[in-house]
């Protein structure tokens, strides 16, 4: 089967980067696709997806295609190595650099690598990044305001684990050590909205959280784990979830760094597309600083699901507490889901909302 036949049997590409790839004469059978977007051309094609995004992996697997997280994937050698790989350059350049280091450590020297992305997303920066790693590069094509580059992998002296960092968050007299990785929300700093939520939580959560009786709390979109760690330190049994595998790993490391790891203290940390991994479970409180971006695009979908489905995951009297940019359209969603809400804090940039299940 030649490349032309393969292309004719596939769905058409919808995203600009995939439309650029679709017109190539390359035979992508058996290739790895790293950090891919949702696109029917990819999901009905060849090769394996490697993604930290649970939504992407679920879509590939639903289509009968292999898809795995980069965590736990062993170095590929011999027959297990793909003939090539395509890296979709992410909005976070630091994350793109991590992917390059990970590829160099995981795949054999000389493996073909293509790098593709939108020009406004910084794809042209890969020329300097590859040069700094001692890897040659050539431009293969450009179209749809995207560019495609090609290189071959080589060994570099930098361990991809060096991308993990730890920083200290100061909350009044309290200190928390936070693990951080490129691509995780608030990488390397405490987000102002999260700070406002933390300052508000102490007076808003049930008394059990600050006492000796465990209270079950869901940290939705756990990021680097600061909310989970703050809550666990106060006696809550926290279930922390995120759709991003890097965030889940960061939260686990944050809990361990603050001596809060272990089921007795912190509950569990797992990947979940909003409530997808929590069927039938209820909590005393749900706390969140929900995202509203997917790469560079605004996407209210996950936040809307967080609010709309929250009552089904709260016990009677349970409450949803979330912080959001003041301009976001959450009041209507809260009104429809709960029949009412209150604003606990508002600094003109961010608002902390509370809604209680009757």
């Amino acid at each position: 089967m030649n490349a032309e036949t393969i292309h004719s049997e596939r769905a058409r590409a919808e995203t600009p980067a995939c439309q650029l790839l679709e017109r190539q004469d390359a035979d992508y059978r058996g290739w790895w696709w790293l950090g891919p977007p949702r696109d029917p051309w990819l999901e009905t094609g060849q090769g394996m997806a490697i993604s930290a995004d649970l939504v992407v992996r679920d879509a590939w697997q639903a289509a009968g295609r292999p898809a795995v997280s980069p965590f736990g994937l062993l170095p590929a050698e011999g027959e297990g190595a793909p003939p090539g790989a395509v890296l979709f350059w992410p909005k976070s350049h630091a994350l793109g650099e991590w992917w390059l280091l990970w590829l160099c450590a995981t795949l054999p020297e000389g493996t073909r690598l293509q790098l593709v992305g939108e020009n406004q997303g910084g794809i042209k920066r890969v020329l300097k990044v590859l040069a700094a790693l001692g890897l040659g590069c050539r431009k293969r094509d450009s179209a749809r305001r995207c560019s495609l580059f090609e290189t071959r992998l080589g060994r570099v002296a930098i361990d991809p684990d060096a991308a993990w960092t730890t920083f200290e968050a100061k909350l009044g007299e309290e200190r928390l050590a936070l693990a951080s990785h490129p691509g995780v929300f608030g990488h390397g700093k405490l987000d102002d909205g999260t700070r406002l939520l933390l300052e508000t939580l102490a007076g808003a959560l049930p008394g059990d959280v600050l006492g000796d009786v465990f209270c079950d709390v869901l940290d939705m979109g756990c990021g680097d784990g600061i909310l989970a760690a703050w809550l666990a330190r106060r006696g809550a049994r926290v279930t922390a979830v995120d759709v991003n595998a890097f965030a889940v790993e960061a939260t686990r490391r944050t809990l361990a760094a603050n001596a809060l790891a272990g089921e007795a203290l912190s509950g569990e940390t797992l990947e979940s597309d909003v409530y997808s991994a929590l069927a039938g479970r209820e909590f005393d409180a749900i706390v969140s600083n929900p995202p509203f971006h997917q790469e560079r695009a605004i996407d209210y979908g996950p936040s809307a699901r967080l609010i709309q489905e929250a009552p089904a995951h709260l016990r009677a009297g349970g409450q949803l507490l979330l912080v959001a940019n003041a301009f976001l359209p959450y009041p209507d969603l809260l009104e429809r889901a709960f029949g009412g809400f209150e604003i606990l804090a508002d600094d003109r940039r961010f608002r902390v909302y509370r809604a209680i299940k009757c």
Side-chain angles (χ1 to χ4, degrees):
M1 184 180 293
N2 58 34
E4 182 178 350
T5 303
I6 292 171
H7 284 190
S8 68
E9 295 177 351
R10 297 173 67 169
R12 304 300 296 179
E14 295 180 356
T15 58
C18 288
Q19 289 171 344
L20 175 57
L21 290 165
E22 184 181 31
R23 74 184 212 164
Q24 305 306 307
D25 60 3
D27 181 355
Y28 288 117
R29 283 178 293 182
W31 281 46
W32 285 4
W33 305 88
L34 299 112
R38 289 294 315 279
D39 191 286
W41 181 76
L42 288 174
E43 293 161 15
T44 58
Q46 302 287 325
M48 179 171 72
I50 302 173
S51 175
D53 188 331
L54 179 63
V55 172
V56 170
R57 299 202 309 272
D58 283 349
W60 279 58
Q61 291 167 3
R65 302 287 310 290
V68 298
S69 165
F71 292 104
L73 192 62
L74 298 175
E77 300 177 354
E79 295 183 358
V86 177
L87 171 60
F88 291 85
W89 194 253
K91 179 179 71 173
S92 166
H93 296 301
L95 179 58
E97 292 167 6
W98 178 87
W99 275 116
L100 284 172
L101 295 175
W102 182 88
L103 281 163
C104 288
T106 305
L107 294 181
E109 290 185 70
T111 301
R112 290 178 64 189
L113 173 65
Q114 294 184 359
L115 305 99
V116 66
E118 297 184 25
N119 296 332
Q120 290 185 342
I123 180 63
K124 295 181 179 180
R125 183 175 176 176
V126 302
L127 294 169
K128 292 183 179 179
V129 175
L130 290 169
L133 295 175
L135 303 176
C137 180
R138 71 180 182 92
K139 186 172 183 178
R140 184 182 176 101
D141 198 3
S142 60
R144 305 288 295 170
R145 298 181 181 177
C146 296
S147 296
L148 176 65
F149 297 92
E150 185 166 283
T151 186
R152 289 189 179 271
L153 296 174
R155 288 286 172 258
V156 297
I158 306 173
D159 188 336
D161 276 349
W164 284 102
T165 58
T166 301
F167 69 99
E168 184 179 74
K170 299 178 181 179
L171 302 162
E173 298 298 319
E174 187 173 0
R175 303 288 187 272
L176 282 169
L178 303 180
S180 189
H181 191 280
V184 175
F185 174 73
H187 175 48
K189 59 181 174 57
L190 176 57
D191 171 71
D192 289 338
T194 301
R195 182 183 293 278
L196 181 64
L197 177 59
L198 286 166
E199 291 171 350
T200 308
L201 281 180
L205 283 170
D208 288 349
V209 172
L210 304 180
D212 296 326
V213 180
F214 281 121
C215 178
D216 289 319
V217 182
L218 173 62
D219 177 5
M220 176 65 72
C222 53
D224 58 23
I226 185 169
L227 291 173
W230 188 92
L231 290 160
R233 181 174 280 182
R234 283 156 177 79
R237 181 180 288 109
V238 185
T239 297
V241 302
D242 204 293
V243 73
N244 185 328
F246 292 116
V248 170
E249 179 62 19
T251 294
R252 288 174 178 153
R253 294 187 183 211
T254 289
L255 292 169
N258 292 282
L260 295 167
E263 185 175 353
L265 285 173
S266 57
E268 58 183 334
T269 305
L270 65 158
E271 289 182 87
S272 183
D273 176 16
V274 194
Y275 299 103
S276 66
L278 303 168
R281 296 185 58 179
E282 294 182 338
F283 301 88
D284 298 300
I286 300 171
V287 298
S288 184
N289 182 353
F292 63 95
H293 281 106
Q294 179 65 30
E295 283 291 317
R296 294 187 296 114
I298 292 179
D299 181 7
Y300 298 131
S303 297
R305 289 169 54 204
L306 161 66
I307 295 170
Q308 291 164 352
E309 299 174 29
H313 293 276
L314 286 170
R315 298 179 180 126
Q319 53 187 308
L320 170 66
L321 295 131
L322 61 86
V323 64
N325 295 76
F327 66 85
L328 293 174
Y330 293 162
D332 288 345
L333 291 170
L334 290 164
E335 186 71 34
R336 287 198 296 269
F338 288 88
F341 66 92
E342 59 184 316
I343 298 173
L344 300 181
D346 186 343
D347 67 1
R348 296 187 178 183
R349 292 180 59 207
F350 300 98
R351 290 175 184 165
V352 176
Y353 297 96
R354 173 165 64 181
I356 301 175
K357 178 180 179 179
C358 296

